[in-house]
Amino acid sequence: MTAQRFALRLLAGYRPSAVQRMASTTQRRALATQNATSQTTTDSGELYDVVIIGGGPAGCALAAALGSQDSLSRKRIALVDPGRLSEMRQWTPPTDTYLPRTLQITSSNKRYLENLGLWQWCFEDRVQAYNRAVVTDALGGGAVDLAAMTLPGRNDTAFMVETKNLVSGLLKALDHSSSRVDVVERARVTEIEATPSMWPVVTLSNSRRLQARLIVGADGASSRVRKYAGIGTYGTEYAQYGLVATLCLEQLNSSAFQRFLPSGPIALLPFPGGFANLVWSLDSELVQLIKTAPEAIFADLINAAFRLTPAEMGYIYSLLRSGADPDIIGAEIAWRLDVFARNNPDTNIKLPPRVAALSPRSRTSFPLRMRMVDTLVANRVALIGDAGHVMHPLAGQGLNMGLADVQCLAQVLEQAAAAGEDLGSAAVLDRYNSQRYVRNLAMQGIVDKVWHVFGARSGTVATLRSLAMNGLDRLPAIKSRMIHAFMQ
């Protein structure tokens, strides 16, 4: 048999007999040379054990995790993305601000990346640790202060990191490792097709064709891989948008604050140097009003949203709708905030520092939805990250669920490789699906229920949920368990 056919059969799980192992020295050398380069091909395309589609946080983390495993050192792995990953790898952060697209990562997921030698490639001075979160309800007045809720043996509960910082660090780790992960950038997937050998072939916009034992979809909520696999989705459109921006505070801060308003939750998340990340859920009409509001009053709007009553906020929104002069709106907000401060002198401990300014050109928005899938796996396909689950950002669990997918799939593939199993076989992929699918559904369900409960405007519901929040605030043991459930 030719060295080419021999390589294909090896990748498919074939093991030669004793006689066949006595092939000519020339054949063995040709095969060794072929396996040691990136030119292993068949008529259908270049052969890979794993092809990861999507170079976001989940895709890059999986590529780096697989590349760090000794049992997978002889496997051919590719990471494919239409973006300029080399430029992302060489990203130089701005010195005077933080980017508005950010991620919350739990201490356990950070430790996982540290143990793989990946976290150290991020700009760690741009990462903010925090172990306090204050959650309040504007309608019912309830509050829960999750202060100093560190887990045993850990100093911090969560960390805020810019998306670009994390992805850039993961790509740097890949670039400096000895792994055989091929990074294919500026290549869009144009087609995925099954073949008679049952190994799917990925055709790229640069004309390359990659035939894979396993395709991993890490290509986001509109996953091309998921559509190829025929995996169905279902869920909820929240009819809201998430408005994000970078804020400059009047003082340093290392706590997270969230307030549930009738129009949606608003969150202020800490970054070093007195900066903060804003995540504000708003109806489509409101998001346009606030997103385009003059910068001079944007900071006032944030300060008001964390302090004023829903009725007062409704009046301010009406001023925005009417096109009132920004100076008039600013003066109205300033007067109301002054009255609030005089009437509530003892509430500062549960309020975020006042916002001094908006970082220029940092406002952006995105639609909010929940998307579940029928399964995380199909024939030689696995989904991770947003390709397999999309949820509301109110609990900051999107990245953490994606990294949990990465940890699980990497471990399953590592064990399969050590046992000589086919990495794309149904038996291997079922182990991944059985460990992650139900857990993902459970977390999505919890977050969805929280959104609906706090989105209810009934006075009775508001009273009951605030009673529950105030009661929880007096039960440290229960608060600790809740933090552990979300941050483990």
Side-chain angles (χ1 to χ4, degrees):
M1 78 178 62
T2 66
Q4 187 178 67
R5 291 176 58 198
F6 189 74
L8 177 59
R9 295 180 69 182
L10 275 177
L11 286 169
Y14 166 79
R15 292 294 180 269
S17 66
V19 173
Q20 289 169 318
R21 286 197 298 269
M22 297 175 64
S24 69
T25 302
T26 301
Q27 285 179 311
R28 293 200 304 270
R29 286 178 179 171
L31 178 60
T33 300
Q34 190 176 44
N35 283 339
T37 68
S38 61
Q39 302 303 315
T40 304
T41 62
T42 68
D43 292 339
S44 297
E46 304 168 57
L47 293 176
Y48 282 91
D49 291 281
V50 181
V51 172
I52 303 165
I53 307 297
C60 288
L62 180 63
L66 297 182
S68 68
Q69 303 298 330
D70 291 339
S71 62
L72 296 167
S73 61
R74 294 183 178 275
K75 303 298 182 182
R76 301 194 68 232
I77 302 167
L79 173 65
V80 179
D81 191 83
R84 300 173 181 267
L85 295 184
S86 57
E87 293 182 8
M88 177 70 79
R89 184 177 64 246
Q90 297 166 4
W91 175 66
T92 300
T95 58
D96 58 349
T97 189
Y98 286 80
L99 303 183
R101 290 284 189 171
T102 65
L103 300 163
Q104 175 190 278
I105 182 170
T106 63
S107 57
S108 59
N109 278 327
K110 175 177 175 284
R111 189 166 58 254
Y112 171 72
L113 296 179
E114 287 174 334
N115 291 340
L116 292 178
L118 308 178
W119 183 260
Q120 68 194 52
W121 294 100
C122 298
F123 293 95
E124 294 190 61
D125 60 329
R126 296 181 67 85
V127 177
Q128 177 66 55
Y130 72 93
N131 57 22
R132 178 176 183 245
V134 179
V135 183
T136 56
D137 180 11
L139 274 180
V144 57
D145 189 344
L146 305 172
M149 300 306 296
T150 54
L151 302 180
R154 309 177 196 177
N155 295 322
D156 297 292
T157 299
F159 301 80
M160 293 302 302
V161 59
E162 296 154 293
T163 303
K164 272 193 174 181
N165 190 6
L166 179 60
V167 173
S168 176
L170 293 171
L171 289 170
K172 287 175 190 172
L174 268 177
D175 189 50
H176 287 82
S177 72
S178 58
S179 68
R180 295 189 61 204
V181 177
D182 295 336
V183 178
V184 184
E185 63 176 342
R186 303 173 67 178
R188 180 174 50 85
V189 174
T190 60
E191 185 180 17
I192 306 175
E193 57 185 327
T195 64
S197 69
M198 298 306 293
W199 285 29
V201 174
V202 180
T203 302
L204 305 178
S205 56
N206 60 7
S207 300
R208 289 182 65 177
R209 289 166 56 83
L210 313 181
Q211 189 170 20
R213 184 195 300 270
L214 171 63
I215 297 177
V216 178
D219 48 344
S222 301
S223 172
R224 181 77 178 262
V225 175
R226 188 183 65 232
K227 292 174 183 175
Y228 155 76
I231 297 175
T233 65
Y234 58 99
T236 299
E237 295 288 342
Y238 291 116
Q240 286 193 326
Y241 284 77
L243 173 63
V244 297
T246 300
L247 309 174
C248 306
L249 306 180
E250 292 184 351
Q251 63 190 68
L252 297 178
N253 172 58
S254 59
S255 299
F257 296 87
Q258 184 171 54
R259 192 185 195 204
F260 284 92
L261 298 162
S263 55
I266 180 172
L268 187 147
L269 305 166
F271 267 92
F275 286 91
N277 180 237
L278 169 73
V279 184
W280 194 352
S281 302
L282 294 159
D283 296 336
S284 56
E285 181 244 355
L286 272 180
V287 78
Q288 287 304 314
L289 281 174
I290 296 175
K291 184 178 178 180
T292 57
E295 289 188 6
I297 63 169
F298 189 80
D300 296 331
L301 289 169
I302 305 305
N303 291 327
F306 274 102
R307 291 164 176 81
L308 302 186
T309 66
E312 289 177 299
M313 290 304 298
Y315 177 67
I316 292 169
Y317 295 151
S318 70
L319 292 179
L320 285 170
R321 291 187 186 97
S322 68
D325 186 279
D327 290 340
I328 294 176
I329 298 175
E332 180 70 25
I333 295 175
W335 173 74
R336 292 179 181 275
L337 288 176
D338 182 61
V339 171
F340 172 86
R342 285 188 277 109
N343 292 339
N344 301 275
D346 300 324
T347 59
N348 283 339
I349 192 171
K350 291 190 176 181
L351 291 172
R354 289 174 65 107
V355 178
L358 165 72
S359 184
R361 298 179 299 280
S362 68
R363 284 179 282 187
T364 187
S365 60
F366 54 92
L368 299 177
R369 57 174 62 98
M370 178 181 67
R371 280 288 177 270
M372 301 175 175
V373 295
D374 294 331
T375 176
L376 289 172
V377 300
N379 183 39
R380 298 199 173 276
V381 167
L383 304 177
I384 62 173
D386 285 355
H389 41 76
V390 176
M391 61 195 298
H392 197 288
L394 67 87
Q397 290 301 301
L399 170 68
N400 293 298
M401 286 173 61
L403 288 179
D405 294 342
V406 168
Q407 290 188 55
C408 180
L409 184 57
Q411 183 180 52
V412 166
L413 295 180
E414 179 188 10
Q415 293 170 348
E421 294 180 271
D422 180 350
L423 300 187
S425 68
V428 171
L429 297 183
D430 283 347
R431 293 201 290 272
Y432 165 65
N433 192 61
S434 65
Q435 293 179 53
R436 290 303 309 158
Y437 183 69
V438 173
R439 292 188 180 186
N440 287 342
L441 286 183
M443 181 60 74
Q444 287 178 288
I446 290 171
V447 172
D448 182 62
K449 294 298 185 295
V450 169
W451 184 86
H452 279 95
V453 168
F454 280 91
R457 304 187 184 190
S458 162
T460 301
V461 174
T463 299
L464 290 174
R465 71 189 178 217
S466 289
L467 285 173
M469 292 175 71
N470 293 332
L472 175 63
D473 198 43
R474 299 182 179 91
L475 299 171
I478 302 299
K479 287 197 290 186
S480 181
R481 288 186 180 182
M482 185 175 72
I483 290 292
H484 181 73
F486 274 89
M487 297 299 183
Q488 62 183 348

